Amino acid sequence: MTQKRDYYEVLGVAKNSSNDQIKDSYRKLAMQYHPDRNKEEGAENKFKEISEAYAVLSDPQKRSQYDQLGHAGFDQQYSREDIFRGADFESIFQDAGFVGDIFRTFFGGSGFGGGYDRNNRGQDIGYSIEITLEEAAKGVEKEIQIPRTEKCDVCSGSGAKPGTRVTVCQKCNGAGKVQNMHNSSLGMFVRVVSCPNCKGRGRQIETPCNSCNGSGLMRRKRNITVKIPMGIDDGSRLRLRGEGETPANAGEPGDLYVIVQVLPNQLFVRDGDDLYRVEMITFPQAVLGAEISVPTLEGPAFVKIRAGTQHGEVVRVKGQGMPRMRGYGKGDLIVRIGVVIPEKLTNQQRVLVEQLAKEFGTDVSKKSKFRF
């Protein structure tokens, strides 16, 4: 699990900042990263992060406990619902017209102040997809087939046969839940349960739909196009909002999370935005220097090998790595040089090597009395 950043750091304020300073900082950041304005990758997560920080630091009690306990202790005492409950977002966005649907889409339920309704949202779906390193470098669109629950095409999700009536449940008045009161030795308590009359729907169907048997839902396979951005790394997760399971009771669908797996490449090993490979050269090339051809993702490139290059030395080829997802430009191609030592020599080659050894003052003709 990714460790949370300090809330003060997230909002860019000091720990002794006033409530007005915290509010002003959040307003500026929220308008910058609001998904209706900012379509860049990661803007939505940034918007959620600053909203969570503001929800805590704008509340004197939560802020005090956060200052004392830090993230670890604070998160043990406050659930996600508790963090956002009672936070004032409407006064910040009242002139922008963003409150309501946008927060409901992000966090579920009826907004920050009204709590959450987890049961009225469909389940998320996970899907793993494999791509090549070349596809990861250029970006690619992939069509995948997802089995999921969707609204019935015949009854449009109502569960009723077309042309028949759907009425509000008289027992729960459309709420889908009823309260049961019980007496015990400790007193009276109330238990909220799903309405047995309408089975939690809040409505009663006169004649069930023949296609979905009154459930309003059908299981089918759906083709979905996934846009994979260039530079994506192995294990990255893409979120497709609203492409998950459709719930009953006219709730919002869940999300589809696509896990991208980048296949190993025969030519390169990836480390972040950089690519690595080993290139073998001959002894004369290492001694005298040379210009060799090396593969890149964009085709062959020529690399200069300096005279006197040692075995294991690296040459950096600028801008021939992977595109940076969260920045500009590309990484580099790191070429590690290996010097090939021939295992067998022709007679002429041996004579030349022996002559070279004498030039270096190395007498290879002498034999030691010790053998290993």
Side-chain angles (χ1 to χ4, degrees), residues 12-26:
V13 296
K15 289 193 174 182
N16 60 351
S17 297
S18 65
N19 288 338
D20 289 339
Q21 289 174 322
I22 291 174
K23 188 173 184 179
D24 289 341
S25 179
Y26 172 71

Side-chain angles (χ1 to χ4, degrees), residues 233-248:
D233 207 348
D234 181 55
S236 296
R237 187 175 69 165
L238 302 176
R239 179 187 183 187
L240 280 68
R241 188 182 303 280
E243 295 292 356
E245 301 278 12
T246 298

Side-chain angles (χ1 to χ4, degrees), residues 98-359:
F98 288 146
V99 171
D101 290 341
I102 188 66
F103 287 126
R104 187 178 299 114
T105 301
F106 278 5
F107 300 98
S110 55
F112 290 115
Y116 300 86
D117 187 359
R118 292 181 175 179
N119 297 324
N120 203 35
R121 184 179 180 275
Q123 290 185 346
D124 296 332
I125 300 175
Y127 187 90
S128 180
I129 187 172
E130 293 181 343
I131 63 173
T132 65
L133 184 66
E134 290 79 7
E135 290 174 328
K138 297 179 180 179
V140 67
E141 289 188 2
K142 292 283 188 177
E143 187 173 273
I144 60 177
Q145 191 175 72
I146 300 294
R148 68 182 186 186
T149 302
E150 299 181 354
K151 288 182 180 180
C152 174
D153 292 335
V154 177
C155 65
S156 300
S158 69
K161 183 178 180 179
T164 62
R165 288 198 313 158
V166 177
T167 59
V168 176
C169 176
Q170 299 299 313
K171 186 174 182 63
C172 65
N173 292 322
K177 298 176 182 179
V178 293
Q179 295 182 351
N180 291 336
M181 303 184 69
H182 298 274
N183 288 317
S184 70
S185 58
L186 299 176
M188 181 177 292
F189 65 93
V190 178
R191 182 184 180 189
V192 179
V193 297
S194 179
C195 177
N197 194 41
C198 64
K199 298 181 180 179
R201 290 178 174 271
R203 62 192 190 280
Q204 290 183 300
I205 299 172
E206 192 175 81
T207 306
C209 172
N210 294 328
S211 182
C212 63
N213 296 320
S215 68
L217 302 173
M218 295 187 68
R219 194 73 177 170
R220 59 163 52 90
K221 294 182 178 180
R222 177 72 65 183
N223 291 332
I224 298 174
T225 300
V226 181
K227 294 182 179 181
I228 301 175
M230 62 180 183
I232 195 166
D233 207 348
D234 181 55
S236 296
R237 187 175 69 165
L238 302 176
R239 179 187 183 187
L240 280 68
R241 188 182 303 280
E243 295 292 356
E245 301 278 12
T246 298
N249 304 329
E252 294 181 354
D255 299 330
L256 169 63
Y257 289 91
V258 179
I259 312 300
V260 179
Q261 296 180 335
V262 182
L263 296 171
N265 189 275
Q266 293 182 347
L267 298 178
F268 309 103
V269 174
R270 181 178 182 178
D271 183 11
D273 298 325
D274 293 331
L275 297 176
Y276 289 78
R277 71 169 277 107
V278 175
E279 198 70 39
M280 305 302 293
I281 62 174
T282 65
F283 175 72
Q285 287 176 316
V287 173
L288 302 176
E291 189 175 67
I292 63 173
S293 175
V294 298
T296 72
L297 290 174
E298 298 178 355
F302 289 97
V303 175
K304 288 185 178 181
I305 304 298
R306 69 172 185 86
T309 293
Q310 302 298 306
H311 180 80
E313 196 168 314
V314 297
V315 179
R316 183 179 294 268
V317 185
K318 293 286 187 180
Q320 290 298 330
M322 297 293 291
R324 295 188 176 94
M325 277 192 67
R326 295 171 179 83
Y328 299 98
K330 297 181 178 180
D332 300 330
L333 171 62
I334 313 298
V335 181
R336 185 174 296 276
I337 302 299
V339 180
V340 178
I341 306 298
E343 296 181 0
K344 294 183 179 180
L345 297 174
T346 65
N347 291 334
Q348 183 180 1
Q349 289 171 339
R350 178 173 292 277
V351 170
L352 293 174
V353 172
E354 289 175 350
Q355 291 177 353
L356 182 61
K358 291 180 181 180
E359 289 292 330

